[in-house]
Amino acid sequence: MKVLGIETSCDETAAAVVSRDAGGRGRILSDVILSQVDAHAVFGGVVPEIAARAHVEALDQVIATALREADATFADIDAVAATAGPGLIGGLIVGLTTAKAIALAAGKPLIAVNHLEGHALTARLTDGLAFPYLLLLVSGGHTQFVSVEGAGVYRRLGTTIDDALGEAFDKAAKLLGLGYPGGPAVEAAAARGDPARFALPRPLIDRPEPDFSLSGLKTALRLAAEKIAPLSSGDVDDLAASFQTAVTDVVADRTARAMALFREAHPATGRGTLVIAGGVAANQAIRDRLVTATSQAGFTLVAPPARLCGDNAVMIAWTGVERLALGLTDPLDVAARPRWPLDEMARPVLGHGAKGHKA
Ligand code: KG4
Ligand code: ZN
């Protein structure tokens, strides 16, 4: 089984071909990602209109490259999968419409993929994981714990009531004059700084539900910076280190809580597995803390390679493979959805709703 995947929900134009053999093992045959980061950097964030136009310009070529590298033609693939949401609507429509055109012209089934499901299932491709497992998805648009119980069966255990984790890193970077995208810049500055110099809050720590709140931490960082302005580069490093350590403490505490809930729900599952995904999963300080937190709780930490943690089309193609195997295909009039929660039954969280435009 061979599936072409297309991803255009945010600022990466991506296409990939993934196969699965009779034994269930997946193989990445091609993985093409064209980042638009330079086009948006001057604006300090993703501009939806620019993103949509850039997808239109690049997508045909990106798909052609993905097929060529996989040594495949439209006739060789068994289905075409595209991200249908959540994300920026202009980009979603570009990718999904292209997939529909290919499906119609080549006579192949279409699979409309939830981008978050792509992040959730990647570890089954890279590590051959069996269900169930616990997912911590931390990106620029999403921060959530999900119990992954089957393809299409997800239960959200916790989320953020305000900013996403990557968004908090991006805002901290902007405030400290470190540029965009902020996560890697904050991490680099933090490595040089003193994490104990500023006492920043650890919001929601010890709360029973594994939710996050990050906007208060961002405000505390701004106040600490304003108090000592103008900032020397040493001050910036110390602020970044203090911020990253506070975030890391919060992630470790919330993850311990989520693992306990997962364990209660799945008492028969011997050793549990925690999978991390999303751009923030590239942060080494967070990874190191999660290694400790998971081993203390009797869990194994699985972190797919950084390239597959950020946005890519391999995860969309693989989700297509999993859904096709279950006979889950979509009609050609399926619509793109800017909002599309993985768990439609999840409890509402106070103050949540304004975010989630990207994943
Ligand atoms: O999943 P992703 O590539 O794209 C979406 O958000 O859809 O995640 C990007 C986010 C950005 O907010 C970026 O600042 C953050 O991930 N990020 C990091 C690091 N690398 C990327 N945050 C903290 N530390 C990092 N090393
Ligand atoms: Zn994403």
Side-chain angles (χ1 to χ4, degrees):
M1 196 191 298
K2 211 179 268 182
V3 173
L4 168 68
I6 296 172
E7 158 62 38
T8 55
S9 69
C10 191
D11 61 346
E12 263 100 26
T13 310
V17 180
V18 170
S19 69
R20 185 164 90 171
D21 63 24
R25 279 180 59 94
R27 247 183 82 202
I28 300 171
L29 302 181
S30 65
D31 172 14
V32 182
I33 303 177
L34 190 74
S35 173
Q36 306 172 2
V37 73
D38 294 340
H40 300 288
V42 283
F43 301 99
V46 178
V47 184
E49 182 65 24
I50 293 176
R53 285 166 187 264
H55 288 307
V56 170
E57 275 169 28
L59 187 55
D60 285 0
Q61 211 42 56
V62 167
I63 292 171
T65 307
L67 286 171
R68 195 172 56 245
E69 287 179 5
D71 204 10
T73 63
F74 287 137
D76 300 326
I77 57 169
D78 296 292
V80 50
T83 304
L88 299 171
I89 189 68
L92 291 172
I93 289 174
V94 173
L96 187 57
T97 305
T98 303
K100 287 176 181 180
I102 295 169
L104 187 63
K108 305 290 177 179
L110 171 75
I111 300 158
V113 172
N114 182 315
H115 177 94
L116 304 175
E117 181 168 32
H119 281 301
L121 297 180
T122 300
R124 286 172 50 77
L125 166 67
T126 57
D127 294 76
L129 278 192
F131 300 118
Y133 52 88
L134 176 63
L135 170 76
L136 169 58
L137 172 61
V138 276
S139 72
H142 287 271
T143 296
Q144 42 188 263
F145 288 107
V146 179
S147 175
V148 181
E149 303 180 353
V153 189
Y154 308 100
R155 210 154 53 80
R156 194 184 75 194
L157 302 180
T159 185
T160 176
I161 64 178
D162 41 54
D163 293 349
L165 208 54
E167 189 181 2
F169 270 95
D170 292 335
K171 287 179 176 173
K174 203 167 192 172
L175 199 140
L176 297 175
L178 289 173
Y180 169 86
V186 170
E187 183 173 12
R192 298 184 295 261
D194 170 9
R197 175 157 163 215
F198 300 96
L200 299 175
R202 270 72 171 152
L204 299 194
I205 246 177
D206 294 333
R207 278 267 289 264
E209 308 82 19
D211 291 327
F212 290 84
S213 169
L214 297 155
S215 73
L217 176 56
K218 173 193 67 197
T219 306
L221 179 72
R222 180 170 54 76
L223 294 176
E226 282 171 4
K227 224 186 244 172
I228 57 162
L231 303 178
S232 69
S233 66
D235 293 334
V236 168
D237 293 348
D238 293 345
L239 284 161
S242 302
F243 171 81
Q244 183 174 276
T245 302
V247 168
T248 305
D249 283 351
V250 170
V251 170
D253 174 81
R254 308 290 62 211
T255 303
R257 189 60 210 138
M259 288 187 292
L261 280 182
F262 180 86
R263 178 75 79 209
E264 273 168 33
H266 304 283
T269 318
R271 210 176 155 80
T273 302
L274 173 74
V275 175
I276 50 173
V280 185
N283 185 288
Q284 197 57 47
I286 292 178
R287 280 187 183 226
D288 291 347
R289 277 298 287 281
L290 287 175
V291 168
T292 318
T294 46
S295 84
Q296 278 170 351
F299 272 62
T300 304
L301 179 67
V302 170
R307 182 173 170 89
L308 295 179
C309 277
D311 289 347
N312 65 83
V314 166
M315 68 183 194
I316 305 305
W318 173 251
T319 301
V321 165
E322 295 240 32
R323 295 186 76 87
L324 185 63
L326 297 172
L328 300 171
T329 62
D330 294 280
L332 286 177
D333 63 353
V334 66
R337 298 177 61 178
R339 295 187 183 214
W340 186 2
L342 251 195
D343 175 0
E344 309 257 10
M345 309 297 284
R347 71 190 153 85
V349 179
L350 192 70
H352 190 68
K355 312 281 178 199
H357 61 285
K358 61 178 195 136

